[in-house]
Amino acid sequence: MRSPAFSRRLALALALLLPLPFAVLPAQAAEPRQVVDTLDNALLDVMKNADSLGFRGRYQKLGPVLDQTFNLPLMARIAVGPDWSTLSPTQQQKVTDAFRRFSITTYAARFNGYSGESFQAEDAKPVSGGDQVVNTRLVRPNADPVPLNYRLRGPNWQIIDIYLNGTISQLANYRSEFGATLRSGGGDALIKLIEGKIVELTPKK
C-alpha cells in the first residue's frame, strides 16, 4: 500500500503538469518589422474609413496605436535637443504631453482619405547604436511612392524617428525650430509653439 508521503508527492507532480488557468505569461516584445506593420495597418484602416470616422474618430483610433508603436516621451526629448535639461520638470511634462498630441494630430490630419494606397515594408536592418531601421514606402496608384523609413530602439522596439523621403530626420527638423524657440523664449514659448501647431492641424468645425 502506498504511503501518505508518496501520495502527496504524486499529487504535487501531477499538479505541476497541469496548466495554470490564471497564470499570465510575460508579453513578448514585438520585432521591429511587426511594430511598423502594426502602425501601417492602423493607418490604412483610418484612411479607408476616414470620412465616417472624421478627424476626431481618426485621432481616437490612432492615439493608442502611436502610444504602442512610438516612444513619444523619448522623441520629445530628442526633438528639443540638449536644452531639454533647462526645462523645469513641470515644463518637461507639458512639452511631452503636447508633443504626444501633436504627433497624433499630425497623423489624424494627414491620413484623411483613401485612393487605393498601400504600404510596403522591408525587413529591419541594424544601424549604429543598436537601433534598427525599417524601410517603408507609401505606394500611391497615380503618384510616386513616398519613402517613410522608421528608426526603432530596443529592447521594446518602438519608433524613435522617421526619415521623410528616406533620409530627412523628422526630429532633426523639429530640433532646429524647437531649440531656437526654447533659447529665445524659454519653456513656455516652446509649449505655446507646439500647442499652436496642434491648432493649425486640427480641422475647424
Side-chain angles (χ1 to χ4, degrees):
M1 185 173 180
R2 293 171 179 171
S3 67
F6 176 84
S7 298
R8 287 195 298 270
R9 289 197 300 270
L10 179 61
L12 178 59
L14 290 173
L16 292 173
L17 292 175
L18 294 175
L20 300 177
F22 300 108
V24 178
L25 296 176
Q28 186 176 10
E31 293 299 318
R33 169 68 184 273
Q34 292 175 309
V35 173
V36 173
D37 285 343
T38 295
L39 174 63
D40 289 345
N41 290 336
L43 292 175
L44 276 179
D45 180 60
V46 299
M47 290 166 69
K48 292 177 179 179
N49 298 282
D51 292 338
S52 60
L53 287 170
F55 171 80
R56 182 51 52 187
R58 297 195 300 273
Y59 185 101
Q60 291 173 347
K61 291 201 71 167
L62 289 173
V65 178
L66 265 67
D67 285 334
Q68 174 189 352
T69 57
F70 286 77
N71 189 334
L72 292 170
L74 176 59
M75 293 177 70
R77 295 197 297 272
I78 295 173
V80 173
D83 292 324
W84 175 263
S85 60
T86 66
L87 296 168
S88 70
T90 298
Q91 289 175 327
Q92 289 177 350
Q93 184 57 49
K94 288 183 177 180
V95 169
T96 300
D97 175 68
F99 184 84
R100 173 186 178 271
R101 290 183 287 107
F102 171 48
S103 299
I104 301 170
T105 299
T106 299
Y107 275 90
R110 292 181 178 173
F111 290 86
N112 60 353
Y114 181 71
S115 302
E117 293 89 351
S118 63
F119 288 97
Q120 294 178 349
E122 300 177 3
D123 289 337
K125 299 177 181 178
V127 292
S128 61
D131 294 344
Q132 300 260 341
V133 167
V134 176
N135 294 331
T136 306
R137 299 193 309 164
L138 173 61
V139 180
R140 301 178 294 175
N142 300 311
D144 292 335
V146 179
L148 294 169
N149 299 337
Y150 298 95
R151 184 173 187 135
L152 298 93
R153 180 163 297 172
N156 296 325
W157 295 119
Q158 290 180 297
I159 297 165
I160 64 164
D161 202 354
I162 306 166
Y163 296 99
L164 308 173
N165 295 321
T167 58
I168 303 171
S169 166
Q170 184 181 64
L171 293 189
N173 285 343
Y174 290 155
R175 187 158 53 246
S176 176
E177 183 179 12
F178 288 3
T181 300
L182 178 57
R183 288 188 293 273
S184 63
D188 290 342
L190 174 59
I191 295 165
K192 184 177 180 180
L193 171 70
I194 301 173
E195 294 285 358
K197 290 180 177 294
I198 295 172
V199 172
E200 290 176 3
L201 287 168
T202 303
K204 306 298 185 291
K205 295 183 178 179

